[in-house]
Amino acid sequence: MLAKDTLTTCSGLDLQGSYVGQTKDKVNEAMSEAQGGVLFVDEAYTLGQGTIFAQEALDQLVAKMTEPEHLSRTVVILAGYQEPMERM
């Protein structure tokens, strides 16, 4: 059961910054907005494309998901086309 009935949506590209440090802020903001609810990341396979910003976003997302305020409280759904998601 979720604490809030909120759904926050974004794309994998929305979580990536264009300069060092911006990516972490974007991921933190999305997770903060979704706290206690659901974060739906569409086209999540873009996080597995191997760029420095994609990797930073993926690393930060995993880190935030395991923090006490999100662990077992916030649902993160990664969505995308099957083949690119499997490669990710």
Side-chain angles (χ1 to χ4, degrees):
M1 188 157 206
L2 296 172
K4 296 184 338 187
D5 65 348
T6 59
L7 172 65
T8 303
T9 61
C10 64
S11 72
L13 290 174
D14 291 337
L15 296 177
Q16 298 176 52
S18 54
Y19 57 86
V20 175
Q22 184 184 32
T23 297
K24 263 187 182 176
D25 292 340
K26 286 184 168 207
V27 172
N28 291 347
E29 183 179 321
M31 286 296 287
S32 179
E33 188 177 327
Q35 187 173 354
V38 177
L39 175 63
F40 182 87
V41 183
D42 197 13
E43 299 176 340
Y45 51 81
T46 60
L47 299 176
Q49 291 182 332
T51 69
I52 189 167
F53 299 116
Q55 187 61 52
E56 183 183 15
L58 196 55
D59 292 346
Q60 184 64 13
L61 187 59
V62 171
K64 293 300 285 184
M65 287 168 47
T66 58
E67 289 181 354
E69 61 266 22
H70 295 290
L71 191 63
S72 300
R73 292 186 176 99
T74 306
V75 174
V76 177
I77 300 171
L78 302 178
Y81 295 110
Q82 183 176 349
E83 197 172 305
M85 290 295 289
E86 287 174 356
R87 281 195 304 264
M88 185 177 96

